[in-house]
Amino acid sequence: MAGVRVKESTGYIVFKVFNTLIMLLVCAATLYPFLYLVAQSFSSEQAIIMGKVSLFPVDFNITTYKSVLEKGEFLRSYKNTIIYVILGTVSAIVLSCCMAYPLAKSELKGSKFLMKFIIFTMYFGGGLIPTYVLMRKLNLVNTIRGFIMPSLLSTYYIILMRSFFQGIPKDLEEAAEIDGLSPIGIFVKIVFPLSMPIIATMILFNAVGYWNNWYNAFLYLDKKEMWPVAYY
């Protein structure tokens, strides 16, 4: 009957309490480093060196923020990072979809070979020096493309997207094909909207990856005015 509340057992209540305590401890352990860094950023250098700072600032000041913001280099690097994240993430999602969706089709000739070839790249690479020489030969050093392109495609992400696309019922695509949609139209109007969970996940992964990427800048960006904030 509506409105009837089922009485929870003692064991279930104990489980909920125990589970809540564990989650609170995990949250506290996760938040502490961030709160500690924020407290340090508002504390004096002497207090930090003496180890007086914990969760709250000591000798409150904003000298650190003034020092950073007064330098145009930091703001320029921050702008570079935003540009790299947007361009890199959009390009990575488009290329990953273009690769993963065809590979999800069992009728695609050579799909198994292509998949094995892609997985092969997870274990074997060209090496640092040949890769750098190739980037220089292609005139990609000290360019936005040089920062973005080495991280455009991830084998792991392609496998995840391919597995998701394979889980979409084929009946939907066959019905759309009967209605006259082209393969591209089927992907844009049917598959893509149904794939928003994996697309959103890949957007998050790629955006965080580009935001934290200092290694590509270390290798391929010699000009300081092109550095992302992570490398700066």
Side-chain angles (χ1 to χ4, degrees):
M1 294 176 60
V4 176
R5 184 177 180 181
V6 179
K7 185 178 179 180
E8 296 177 347
S9 64
T10 303
Y12 183 67
I13 294 174
V14 171
F15 168 77
K16 286 206 305 183
V17 173
F18 184 77
N19 194 42
T20 301
L21 291 175
I22 293 296
M23 288 297 101
L24 290 174
L25 289 174
V26 171
C27 290
T30 304
L31 287 174
Y32 176 76
F34 295 99
L35 296 176
Y36 177 67
L37 287 176
V38 171
Q40 278 194 330
S41 69
F42 287 107
S43 301
S44 66
E45 185 178 355
Q46 185 178 3
I48 296 172
I49 294 174
M50 296 178 65
K52 293 182 178 179
V53 183
S54 56
L55 287 176
F56 301 99
V58 178
D59 300 333
F60 184 87
N61 67 81
I62 57 173
T63 305
T64 303
Y65 291 93
K66 283 184 177 180
S67 176
V68 170
L69 294 176
E70 284 175 356
K71 298 178 180 178
E73 297 172 351
F74 174 79
L75 295 177
R76 181 179 60 203
S77 297
Y78 215 93
K79 181 188 74 173
N80 291 340
T81 298
I82 294 174
I83 293 173
Y84 297 155
V85 168
I86 294 174
L87 293 179
T89 301
V90 172
S91 301
I93 293 300
V94 171
L95 291 179
S96 296
C97 288
C98 289
M99 181 169 285
Y101 181 62
L103 289 173
K105 302 301 176 185
S106 58
E107 60 270 20
L108 176 66
K109 293 183 179 180
S111 59
K112 292 183 179 180
F113 170 78
L114 288 174
M115 202 63 222
K116 291 178 180 179
F117 185 77
I118 291 171
I119 294 174
F120 177 84
T121 63
M122 294 181 69
Y123 304 100
F124 300 95
L128 178 59
I129 295 176
T131 301
Y132 181 81
V133 171
L134 175 64
M135 294 288 286
R136 184 165 287 280
K137 289 288 185 181
L138 294 175
N139 295 321
L140 294 175
V141 176
N142 290 322
T143 64
I144 295 178
R145 292 171 297 159
F147 180 84
I148 292 174
M149 288 181 66
S151 305
L152 266 181
L153 288 173
S154 166
T155 303
Y156 178 65
Y157 295 167
I158 291 172
I159 293 173
L160 287 180
M161 297 184 76
R162 173 178 174 266
S163 300
F164 190 93
F165 290 147
Q166 286 177 329
I168 296 177
K170 292 185 178 180
D171 295 344
L172 294 175
E173 299 182 49
E174 291 173 356
E177 186 177 0
I178 292 173
D179 289 339
L181 281 179
S182 64
I184 296 178
I186 292 173
F187 177 78
V188 173
K189 295 185 179 181
I190 305 296
V191 177
F192 188 81
L194 293 175
S195 304
M196 287 313 297
I198 191 65
I199 298 294
T201 303
M202 293 300 103
I203 288 174
L204 178 62
F205 286 173
N206 282 283
V208 172
Y210 277 110
W211 186 274
N212 294 326
N213 194 331
W214 63 270
Y215 189 66
N216 287 355
F218 170 71
L219 291 176
Y220 308 122
L221 298 181
D222 300 327
K223 296 180 180 178
K224 196 172 184 179
E225 58 268 21
M226 298 192 69
W227 287 357
V229 71
Y231 187 58
Y232 172 80

